[in-house]
Amino acid sequence: MLPGSRVAFLLLLLLSESISTTSVGPSVLQPPVTRLRIIAVEDDYEEPNSATTVGPRSPRSTITHAIPHICDYDPCVPQTTPCTEISAKTGCLCPGLTGSERKPKAPELREVKLEQSGQVVVHWCAPYSTVTHYKVTLKGGDEQQQIFGEYLRNGAVPGLKFGETVCVSAVNEAGDSEESCAQYEPPELDYAALSAGVIGGVIGILVLTLVAVLLWRRRSCRKSVIGEAGGLGNPSYTNDGVL
């Protein structure tokens, strides 16, 4: 092919490519269009002027739960009414006790005291166990023993002397508990009361002495006044005769 015709062929080829490029549709050159999907939502908004009807409220039922409380039970105070009877009447809770199939725990011997009546009384506290009665034993040669009821917490021990030992034990169907013992000691002197008595006695003696002195001085003054009045006599007369 001649050089001139080759150049013409190349020009035609370039011209055809430029025409094909410019003939592409605008849909190819433009970016894709994103379609939006619109969903209609019903609004429950009510106009201000619309009337609102409120239905009556149903009354709520109030449920009260009773809180259980502990019974007024003191293991160191004699019981006039058993705790089980108090619990049945008031609904209170008694302290937990071990059953009668187990031996009771030892009671607590609190004190051995000489009462104003002259009797020596033993005081104890009950264990948290089932008890049918208590034994109070005077340790010594004879081993004297006394029985007290399950609701008692004290008992008189006749014949107990200073320095002797007395013991208390609890008993139920399963057996006896261990003993709780104490030694009877002579009552300690109340030095405060003794001092107050001595001071009061001294003050009383001083007051009586002062009253006696005042009375003596008063009598002495009365005697002196009477004596002086008798010695003066009638001033119109003398031993020599009439003035």
Side-chain angles (χ1 to χ4, degrees), residues 109 112 120 122 135-148 156-169 179-184:
L109 201 159
V112 183
V120 180
V122 179
K135 290 181 181 180
V136 177
T137 306
L138 177 60
K139 298 296 183 179
D142 297 337
E143 290 284 336
Q144 300 178 11
Q145 190 176 88
Q146 291 185 342
I147 305 298
F148 296 93
V157 183
L160 184 60
K161 300 178 182 179
F162 294 135
E164 292 183 341
T165 301
V166 62
C167 300
V168 181
S169 61
E179 292 183 330
S180 177
C181 302
Q183 190 174 14
Y184 178 40

Side-chain angles (χ1 to χ4, degrees), residues 52-77:
T52 302
T53 304
V54 179
R57 296 182 179 180
S58 60
R60 297 181 180 179
S61 59
T62 304
I63 302 175
T64 58
H65 299 279
I67 300 176
H69 60 281
I70 304 300
C71 297
D72 186 10
Y73 172 79
D74 189 345
C76 301
V77 177

Side-chain angles (χ1 to χ4, degrees), residues 135-216:
K135 290 181 181 180
V136 177
T137 306
L138 177 60
K139 298 296 183 179
D142 297 337
E143 290 284 336
Q144 300 178 11
Q145 190 176 88
Q146 291 185 342
I147 305 298
F148 296 93
E150 58 179 313
Y151 302 123
L152 296 179
R153 301 294 182 264
N154 54 55
V157 183
L160 184 60
K161 300 178 182 179
F162 294 135
E164 292 183 341
T165 301
V166 62
C167 300
V168 181
S169 61
V171 184
N172 65 5
E173 297 176 358
D176 296 8
S177 69
E178 296 181 357
E179 292 183 330
S180 177
C181 302
Q183 190 174 14
Y184 178 40
E185 299 292 344
E188 298 181 356
L189 293 177
D190 191 350
Y191 292 100
L194 182 61
S195 300
V198 171
I199 293 173
V202 171
I203 293 175
I205 292 173
L206 291 176
V207 171
L208 291 176
T209 304
L210 180 60
V211 171
V213 170
L214 292 176
L215 290 175
W216 176 77

